[in-house]
């Protein structure tokens, strides 16, 4: 066990580490009059970051495959030693994150590694290693590789006191706080929702006894002795709040705002458990809706030459606000400098300007799976999916212990609580007309004992003043629809590999690993906006939150909850954010090309799910937006005159925003998909066949029989869904288009032995993302100068040309 002296770090000066980043204009989306959702997203570029997915890249210094039976984590450690030994100085280290996992179907182990320097996490120092049968298939690396700064020690203290005393004092203070908290909140303890477990107290006591006996831990500690992150936090809040009055007020009355923030040290066990750093929670932070989490960390900023990075000490905050959920890094030495910020909330669209305004399965009167919106079909009666893999207890049951709405004593013999409302293990669906954060007591339809969610949806012609009442009159139907679609998507993603260990959203994980208590909170007709939708993805173990809005683009209003494509797009943010860089890292798709692909995957999946055997072009959001061509620049189409997007399109003005970037990516995937369909055919049944009770999956006409029992979807469309999802697991944190392309190609290598290698390359090359595609002077938010590359590898009959600036 090692201790780190966070208290002494804070007062150290970081003079000389000056980093000025250019800040991207906040993007905002329109809502009701006067409402604009503000979202910040920017961070330093990592010129040294790589994703290597071919053997010659992976083993440059002769890393030899290990024995196939070797524990993949051992393989990872050997690989890390090999890779890092050349780069790493003695004071640096790393931890293997606990959210690493092995994919059940492919057998690939995804190992996530976080860099530590002087005992602090490097917030953007990540390695992901993909290992199978002793072989490192690929890895991404953004570890800081320069000379680490000296550990920060307060000279005043270090000359007179043993620096370990600081750490012990901090531990002692944490312990006192933990004990006090659990005493004061004893009622909560009984309810099973105490913020701190007695195990944590026990652990702290043990640590104190075994390490701090030498020190006099007197009563001279108080909060002021501890690092003060409040100035940095307040300055961030002044920047982040959409409330300009509040921002001015924070600046004006800085000290009184400082004084009203309450700081509580919390014991924080970082993922590896072998590091103990103090972390804090701050209550009563203006505009935050829950306590802010604060922790010291390093972040990488480009050096002067721009070819590498240097480390900067920061406060890392997690701030939940009404419309945003930020992970922000603010300089510890210069608290007015926000170095990076990721909004875990993703919007559906830059909204268009509105013209004028045994369970017995439950059943639902809904637009069924595959019917994108009310213009594509009528409602039918559909059944709850009780799938022994994806939803073993169906959609309307969850353990009492994991039910945040349950108060009182649990019936002694019962484990699961059955519901007859839109409340279950995967999804909590409800109206949210008030647009606030509370959801537990919001209205949801009650379907009675037979769980028949059959409600009227027959919107009448309205005039504007009545449009809201009219929409609210079918709230039963709309919440039921949202519940149905969201559960269906949960099960669909699950069956393609977004399961418990890879970070899916469930209250209860059935003992299958991963962090739980994180069902999707799905708000229908959310009052916080119009003509949009959004999804917030905190790390695994915290609820995702989806907000669906009404669209005032027609009369009667159109309800986004009824357009499956929008719901699928939103839920795909949860999928891609949890899979890229590992379940516990929500900071990998924040801005630029990676943020753009976060949008693109959603469009791609929504479009693929609705597509039919007879090819057709599709636009996103055309029903809700009441626009034939939807809300993107172009419909998705194989016809270049309808959708001309290429890789080079990203250079155009107007393409720095994530939605425009995403559209280019989705268009590329759409073309790749058509290539795969040409070769493998098309299945109308994109949903994998129902598993038997014991979880074995019949192949049906869906999977082909593979020698090793690996499930390989047979048809072109289902195959690409699988490759895209497997690719998310392989790619590095903050991938660019090249990384994501290479990860999909490698996913095919792993799944089929590379049968589609050339097809995939041809698909990407068709719109300029071939082997010789290139970008120079890239900026974090997607700037730079791109060259379309149309060449494929030589084995595919291409020229094999590589980008000019790469020396082969
Ligand atoms: C929930 O439903 C299941 C199956 O219908 C039943 O076995 C169980 O007893 C029910 N639980 C409660 C608490 O009613
Ligand atoms: C819905 O049903 C009606 C009546 O059968 C039919 O006229 C209409 O075309 C259907 N709508 C769609 C979108 O299929
Ligand atoms: C919703 O359904 C309930 C029955 O579950 C019914 O009492 C109520 O009137 C319905 N609400 C609306 C707005 O139709």
């Amino acid at each position: 066990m090692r201790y780190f002296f966070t208290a002494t770090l804070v007062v150290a000066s970081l003079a000389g580490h000056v980093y000025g980043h250019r800040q991207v204009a906040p993007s905002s989306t329109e809502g009701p009059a006067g409402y604009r959702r503000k979202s910040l997203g920017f961070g330093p570029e990592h010129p040294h970051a790589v994703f290597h997915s071919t053997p010659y890249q992976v083993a440059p210094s002769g890393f030899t495959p290990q024995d196939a039976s070797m524990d993949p984590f051992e393989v990872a450690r050997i690989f890390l030693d090999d890779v890092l030994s050349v780069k790493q100085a003695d004071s640096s280290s790393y931890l293997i994150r606990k959210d690493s996992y092995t994919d059940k179907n492919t057998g690939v182990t995804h190992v996530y590694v976080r860099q530590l320097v002087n005992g602090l996490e490097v917030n953007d120092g990540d390695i992901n290693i993909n290992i199978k049968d002793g072989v490192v298939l690929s890895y991404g690396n953004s570890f800081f590789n320069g000379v680490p700064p000296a550990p920060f020690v307060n000279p005043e203290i270090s000359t007179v006191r043993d620096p370990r005393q600081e750490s012990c004092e901090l531990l002692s203070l944490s312990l006192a706080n933990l004990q006090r908290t659990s005493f004061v909140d004893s009622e909560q303890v009984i309810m099973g929702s105490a913020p701190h477990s007695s195990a944590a107290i026990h652990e702290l006591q043990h640590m104190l006894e075994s390490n701090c006996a030498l020190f006099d831990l007197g009563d001279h500690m108080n909060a002021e002795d501890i690092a003060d992150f409040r100035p940095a936090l307040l300055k961030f809040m002044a920047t982040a709040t959409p409330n300009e009055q509040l921002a001015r007020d924070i600046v004006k009355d800085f000290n009184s705002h400082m004084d009203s923030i309450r700081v509580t040290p919390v014991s924080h066990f970082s993922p590896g458990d072998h590091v103990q750093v103090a972390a804090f929670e701050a209550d009563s932070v203006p505009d935050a809706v829950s306590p802010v989490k604060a922790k010291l960390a390093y972040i990488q900023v480009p050096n002067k030459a721009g070819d590498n990075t240097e480390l900067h000490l920061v406060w890392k905050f997690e701030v939940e606000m009404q419309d945003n959920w930020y992970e922000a890094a603010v300089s510890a030495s210069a608290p007015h400098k926000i170095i990076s910020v990721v909004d875990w909330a993703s919007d559906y669209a830059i909204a268009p300007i509105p013209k004028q305004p045994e369970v017995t399965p439950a059943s639902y009167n809904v637009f069924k799976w595959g019917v994108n919106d009310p213009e594509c079909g009528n409602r039918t009666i559909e059944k709850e999916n009780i799938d022994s893999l994806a939803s073993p207890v169906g959609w309307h049951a969850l353990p009492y212990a994991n039910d945040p709405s349950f108060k009182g004593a649990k019936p002694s013999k019962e484990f699961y609580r059955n519901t007859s409302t839109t409340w279950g293990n995967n999804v909590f669906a409800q109206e949210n007309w008030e647009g606030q954060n509370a959801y537990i007591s919001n209205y949801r339809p009650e379907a009675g004992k037979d769980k028949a969610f059959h409600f009227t949806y027959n919107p009448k012609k309205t005039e504007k003043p009545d449009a809201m009442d009219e929409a609210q009159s079918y709230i039963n139907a709309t919440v039921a629809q949202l519940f149905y679609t969201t559960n269906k998507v949960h099960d669909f993603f699950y069956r393609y590999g977004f399961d418990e260990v890879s970070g899916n959203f469930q209250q209860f994980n059935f003992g299958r690993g991963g962090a739980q208590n994180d069902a999707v909170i799905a708000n229908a007709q959310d009052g916080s906006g119009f003509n949009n939708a959004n999804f917030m993805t905190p790390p695994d173990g915290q609820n995702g939150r989806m907000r669906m809005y009404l669209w005032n683009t027609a009369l009667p209003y159109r309800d986004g909850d009824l357009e499956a494509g929008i719901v699928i797009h939103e839920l795909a943010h949860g999928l891609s954010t949890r899979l890229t860089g590992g379940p516990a890292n929500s900071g990998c798709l924040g801005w630029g090309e990676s943020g753009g692909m976060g949008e693109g995957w959603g469009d791609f999946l929504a479009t693929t799910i609705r597509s039919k055997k007879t090819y057709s072009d599709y636009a996103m959001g055309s029903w809700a937006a009441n626009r034939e061509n939807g809300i993107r620049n172009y419909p998705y189409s194989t016809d270049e005159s309808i959708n001309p997007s290429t890789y080079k399109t990203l250079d155009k003005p107007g393409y720095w925003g994530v939605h425009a970037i995403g559209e280019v990516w989705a268009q590329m995937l759409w073309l790749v998909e058509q290539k795969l369909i040409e070769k493998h055919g098309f299945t109308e049944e994109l949903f994998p066949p129902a598993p038997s009770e014991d979880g074995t999956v019949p192949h049906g006409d869906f999977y082909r029989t593979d020698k090793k029992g690996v499930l390989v979807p047979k048809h072109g469309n289902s195959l690409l869904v699988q490759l895209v999802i497997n690719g998310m697991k392989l790619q590095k944190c903050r991938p660019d288009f090249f990384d994501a392309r290479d990860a999909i190609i490698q996913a095919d290598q792993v799944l089929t032995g590379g049968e589609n290698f050339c097809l995939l390359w041809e698909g990407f090359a068709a719109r300029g993302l071939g082997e010789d595609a290139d970008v120079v002077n890239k900026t974090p938010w997607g700037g730079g100068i791109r060259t379309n590359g149309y060449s494929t590898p030589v084995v595919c009959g291409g020229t094999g040309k590589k980008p000019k600036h790469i020396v082969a």
Side-chain angles (χ1 to χ4, degrees):
M1 185 79 64
R2 295 168 62 190
Y3 295 108
F4 299 99
F5 311 119
T6 50
T8 61
L9 302 183
V10 182
V11 282
S13 131
L14 255 179
H17 285 247
V18 180
Y19 170 63
H21 62 81
R22 275 196 283 157
Q23 188 164 321
V24 183
S27 60
S28 55
T29 49
E30 297 221 16
Y35 171 85
R36 294 175 79 79
R37 193 181 93 82
K38 176 175 175 178
S39 178
L40 305 171
F42 54 80
E45 172 76 333
H46 292 154
H48 65 306
V50 293
F51 178 64
H52 285 162
S53 66
T54 56
Y56 78 86
Q57 292 174 316
V58 170
S61 54
F63 180 77
T64 40
Q66 305 295 306
D67 195 90
S69 62
M70 185 184 276
D71 176 357
F73 290 93
E74 191 52 35
V75 178
R77 274 185 280 270
I78 296 172
F79 183 73
L80 282 165
D81 284 349
D82 271 21
V83 173
L84 297 183
S85 58
V86 278
K87 296 172 182 172
Q88 220 186 8
D90 289 339
S91 54
S92 304
S93 182
Y94 63 82
L95 59 87
I96 292 185
R97 281 165 32 195
K98 280 193 168 163
D99 56 328
S100 306
Y101 62 94
T102 301
D103 184 295
K104 279 208 267 310
N105 189 35
T106 61
V108 176
T109 301
H110 303 282
V111 180
Y112 299 103
V113 187
R114 179 49 65 88
Q115 187 174 22
L116 301 172
V117 169
N118 300 327
L120 293 180
E121 283 190 42
V122 178
N123 196 39
D124 48 5
D126 292 298
I127 290 181
N128 69 311
I129 314 173
N130 303 305
I131 296 167
K132 186 175 177 176
D133 298 335
V135 178
V136 172
L137 303 171
S138 55
Y139 74 99
N141 183 1
S142 66
F143 265 32
F144 167 73
N145 61 19
V147 181
F152 301 96
V153 179
N154 180 343
E156 269 175 31
I157 291 177
S158 64
T159 52
V160 291
R161 300 171 85 196
D162 186 321
R164 281 173 296 173
Q165 177 148 358
E166 289 294 319
S167 178
C168 286
E169 286 175 353
L170 209 51
L171 282 178
S172 163
L173 186 64
S174 300
L175 177 63
N177 268 295
L178 277 177
Q179 285 166 329
R180 195 168 59 232
T181 309
S182 49
F183 173 71
V184 173
D185 298 338
S186 57
E187 237 181 279
Q188 274 191 310
V189 175
I190 292 162
M191 299 294 295
S193 58
H196 311 297
S197 68
S198 56
I201 292 178
H202 202 81
E203 174 89 4
L204 274 181
Q205 271 167 338
H206 177 73
M207 287 162 68
L208 274 167
E209 276 160 21
S210 51
N211 297 283
C212 299
L214 285 175
F215 301 106
D216 164 29
L217 300 176
D219 57 3
H220 53 278
M221 287 165 296
N222 51 50
E224 283 74 20
D225 286 332
I226 302 171
D228 196 350
F229 56 83
R230 292 174 306 165
L233 178 57
L234 268 181
K235 282 170 182 165
F236 175 73
M237 297 313 296
T239 310
T241 179
N243 178 343
E244 285 169 23
Q245 179 59 44
L246 175 63
R248 277 194 295 273
D249 196 59
I250 291 176
V251 175
K252 200 168 109 243
D253 278 329
F254 202 78
N255 288 337
S256 63
H257 279 285
M258 284 261 291
D259 291 343
S260 54
I261 294 177
R262 275 177 294 122
V263 175
T264 318
V266 293
S267 142
H268 173 89
F269 298 91
S270 48
D273 252 4
H274 47 284
V275 186
Q276 165 74 27
V277 288
F280 303 89
E281 279 194 1
D283 283 289
S284 309
V285 176
D287 235 17
V289 298
S290 62
V292 170
K293 294 178 185 160
K295 189 166 98 167
L296 269 181
Y298 285 111
I299 199 167
Q300 301 180 70
V301 299
N303 60 7
K304 286 211 180 67
D307 57 358
N308 214 326
T309 59
E310 51 195 39
L311 291 182
H312 203 122
L313 190 68
V314 293
W315 279 108
K316 188 182 152 188
F317 298 123
E318 292 176 27
V319 185
E320 187 183 6
M321 296 165 69
Q322 180 65 34
D323 291 306
N324 311 86
W325 202 332
Y326 285 121
E327 178 184 290
V330 183
S331 168
S333 60
H336 57 287
K337 274 193 194 144
I338 303 167
I339 295 179
S340 115
V341 49
V342 180
D343 192 351
W344 290 338
S346 306
D347 280 308
Y348 175 63
I350 300 295
I353 295 132
K355 283 176 193 162
Q356 258 291 65
E358 203 165 29
V359 191
T360 340
S363 65
Y364 317 84
N365 187 2
V366 284
F367 299 102
K368 72 171 185 182
W369 182 250
V371 175
N372 191 66
D373 59 65
E375 260 164 22
C376 300
N378 284 308
R379 298 196 304 159
T380 47
I381 303 295
E382 299 300 317
K383 276 211 168 90
E384 178 183 5
N385 187 34
I386 296 160
D387 176 312
S388 63
L389 290 172
S391 289
V393 297
W395 296 345
H396 295 275
L398 73 172
Y400 283 93
N402 302 78
D403 186 339
S405 74
F406 183 72
K407 296 196 167 57
K410 172 177 101 61
S412 59
K413 288 205 193 80
E414 300 290 347
F415 183 72
Y416 290 110
R417 178 169 170 239
N418 301 321
T419 78
S420 47
T421 65
T422 50
W423 184 271
N425 197 46
N426 312 324
V427 185
F428 303 139
Q430 52 276 318
E431 60 71 32
N432 190 30
W433 293 324
E434 290 193 357
Q436 301 298 308
N437 275 20
Y439 69 96
I440 292 177
S441 327
N442 292 24
Y443 177 77
R444 47 187 78 80
E446 167 60 57
K449 227 172 80 208
D450 58 352
K451 292 183 282 179
F453 291 83
H454 304 175
F455 301 108
T456 314
Y457 170 65
N458 187 19
K460 289 188 288 294
K461 280 197 84 146
T462 54
E463 297 301 322
K464 182 129 203 247
D466 301 326
M468 195 60 95
D469 290 346
E470 180 53 29
Q472 295 188 349
S473 77
Y474 57 79
I475 192 66
N476 283 337
T478 216
V479 173
Q481 178 77 53
L482 184 61
F483 182 79
Y484 166 85
T485 309
T486 306
N487 270 295
K488 204 77 182 170
V489 173
H490 166 275
D491 292 358
F492 178 80
F493 287 170
Y494 192 105
R495 299 297 307 282
Y496 281 93
F498 185 36
D499 55 8
E500 291 88 355
V501 291
S502 53
N504 75 352
F505 298 87
Q506 290 174 193
Q507 282 305 106
F508 180 59
N509 281 358
F510 305 100
R512 296 165 171 178
Q516 52 187 19
N517 290 315
D518 62 353
V520 170
I521 297 166
N523 292 340
Q525 297 189 356
D526 196 284
S528 66
F530 265 106
N531 304 340
N532 212 334
N534 56 51
F535 195 94
M536 299 189 183
T537 317
D540 197 21
Q542 299 179 61
N543 298 96
R545 179 145 48 103
M546 178 163 68
R547 298 188 296 185
M548 302 299 300
Y549 297 147
L550 288 169
W551 294 62
N552 58 14
T553 50
L555 286 171
Y557 286 173
R558 297 190 172 182
D559 186 333
D561 299 285
L562 308 181
E563 180 153 352
I566 303 180
V567 181
I568 295 164
H569 173 103
E570 292 313 324
L571 294 166
H573 281 299
L575 171 82
S576 59
T577 304
R578 290 272 173 93
L579 291 186
T580 305
N585 188 352
S586 286
C588 294
L589 300 174
W591 54 81
E593 284 186 28
S594 49
M597 290 189 293
E599 302 297 332
W601 283 305
D603 282 14
F604 163 73
L605 288 166
T607 305
T608 296
I609 286 168
R610 72 182 295 192
S611 59
K612 302 281 179 289
K613 201 173 189 85
T614 310
Y615 174 84
S616 165
D617 295 348
Y618 293 102
M620 281 304 289
S622 54
W623 177 73
N626 194 15
R627 271 190 182 182
E628 198 190 333
N629 281 341
I631 55 165
R632 305 291 185 234
N633 293 312
Y634 308 104
Y636 295 115
S637 173
T638 49
D639 183 341
E640 245 171 292
S641 68
I642 294 174
N643 188 324
S645 308
T646 66
Y647 179 52
K648 176 81 182 155
T649 304
L650 300 187
D651 290 358
K652 285 194 173 173
Y655 274 81
W656 57 265
V658 287
H659 295 96
I661 297 172
E663 186 183 333
V664 176
W665 178 244
Q667 168 65 15
M668 287 178 176
L669 293 179
W670 185 241
L671 293 184
V672 169
E673 181 168 10
Q674 304 318 314
K675 289 244 177 243
L676 290 177
I677 290 169
E678 268 170 43
K679 177 171 173 197
H680 298 288
F682 180 93
T683 176
E684 299 259 12
E685 191 44 79
L686 205 51
F687 219 100
S692 57
E693 266 311 293
D694 66 0
T696 45
V697 177
H699 288 197
D701 186 42
F702 190 88
Y703 293 114
R704 63 180 210 200
T705 311
D706 182 89
K707 331 108 216 177
K708 288 181 187 155
V710 176
L711 297 168
V712 183
K714 254 165 102 162
H715 301 94
N717 50 341
S718 52
L719 179 62
L720 188 58
V721 171
Q722 188 69 71
L723 295 180
V724 160
I725 289 177
N726 290 2
M728 289 176 189
K729 296 178 177 180
L730 293 168
Q731 69 200 1
K732 74 173 177 63
C733 186
R734 300 184 189 172
D736 62 14
F737 274 37
F738 299 149
D739 299 329
R741 172 200 64 193
D742 293 352
I744 288 171
I745 290 168
Q746 178 160 75
D748 178 61
Q749 197 72 42
V750 174
L751 193 69
T752 73
E755 275 179 15
N756 305 290
F757 181 78
C758 291
L759 273 185
L760 293 168
W761 270 112
E762 286 160 18
F764 285 114
R767 290 298 173 97
L769 202 65
E771 263 203 325
D772 52 340
D774 201 4
V775 57
V776 293
N777 299 331
K778 202 160 68 142
T779 58
W781 46 92
I785 299 165
R786 288 167 181 73
T787 310
N788 278 335
Y790 297 98
S791 95
T792 56
V794 176
V795 291
C796 306
T799 62
K801 265 198 319 195
K802 296 281 193 316
K804 280 195 212 81
H805 79 271
I806 289 186
V807 187

